[in-house]
Amino acid sequence: VASNVAVGSYPVVVNFTNNDAQNKSCTVGVNVQGLVGVSRTIPQIQGTGPTSPVANTVQTTEGVITHKVGSGFFMQHPTDDGEPASSDGIFVYMGTTPLTAAVGDLVRVTGTVTEYAPTGAPRSYTELKDTTSILVRSSGNTVAPTNVDSLTNLDRVEGMLVNFTNTLTINQTAYIGERGELTLSVGRRETPTNRYRPNTPEALAMAAANDANQIVLDDNIFVTPTVIPYIGEGSTVRVGDSVTGLTGVI
């Protein structure tokens, strides 16, 4: 659409012909949207607290798509805002609505800020849902991964593209065949009752430390994989194996 076309709805006639000289036409409506201004940046939407300061409001923001999944996409502010306590990334929930934009596209999105809490999760995740506009501003953009050396306080990089600079250790493989998932930690996690009596303060403290020292590596398929992922040396993957150079979206 040319830049001088006014905002509005326009009827467009589409003509069809074939080799038998048959003709048919139909009229479709094309909506031309104006470029809505950015109301808040992604870091401003995320905020520095456990939940968004603008939850349940409609906001327009802009970011580079870093990863696409079946139910939506992650996007990230093109540059670091300089505030380590606020995330520069966010997930945009699309449901079953298809997305034509690609990884590397800079998009301006209008949607409702929501706090999504998965079943059993100890905290919620800030997302955009019920999008009314997704406009591609440019393509071929890149976002540099943020270096991370700890599994604590990952809410500060929620939805961001990160690179783990330290070596992680596989601590669980139970769901690799069913869901394509591995549980990773910094070092091996010990069962608290190996060292302490059950329900003692020391055992509870170790259990809490174990809970904080883990992240799930997912194959992004969300169904049972037809081919087991992450197979390494010896055509297998085992608890205790090391993972280095891991880059992905939190």
Side-chain angles (χ1 to χ4, degrees), residues 132-151:
T132 57
S133 175
I134 300 177
L135 298 177
V136 177
R137 303 273 282 141
S138 63
S139 299
N141 302 283
T142 58
V143 173
T146 297
N147 288 332
V148 172
D149 61 4
S150 172
L151 297 183

Side-chain angles (χ1 to χ4, degrees), residues 179-194:
R179 301 199 294 255
E181 294 179 355
L182 292 174
T183 299
L184 310 178
S185 303
V186 177
R188 293 293 296 272
R189 297 182 303 161
E190 183 180 359
T191 301
T193 51
N194 285 349

Side-chain angles (χ1 to χ4, degrees), residues 170 172-173 176 180-184 215-218 229-230 237 243:
I170 298 173
Q172 178 174 266
T173 61
I176 188 172
E181 294 179 355
L182 292 174
T183 299
L184 310 178
I215 190 169
V216 175
L217 175 61
D218 188 89
Y230 313 126
V237 58
V243 177

Side-chain angles (χ1 to χ4, degrees), residues 59-85:
Q59 300 292 333
T60 298
T61 192
E62 197 167 82
V64 176
I65 297 178
T66 56
H67 189 59
K68 295 171 67 174
V69 297
S71 59
F73 62 95
F74 293 89
M75 66 177 186
Q76 188 166 330
H77 196 268
T79 57
D80 186 354
D81 71 332
E83 172 53 75

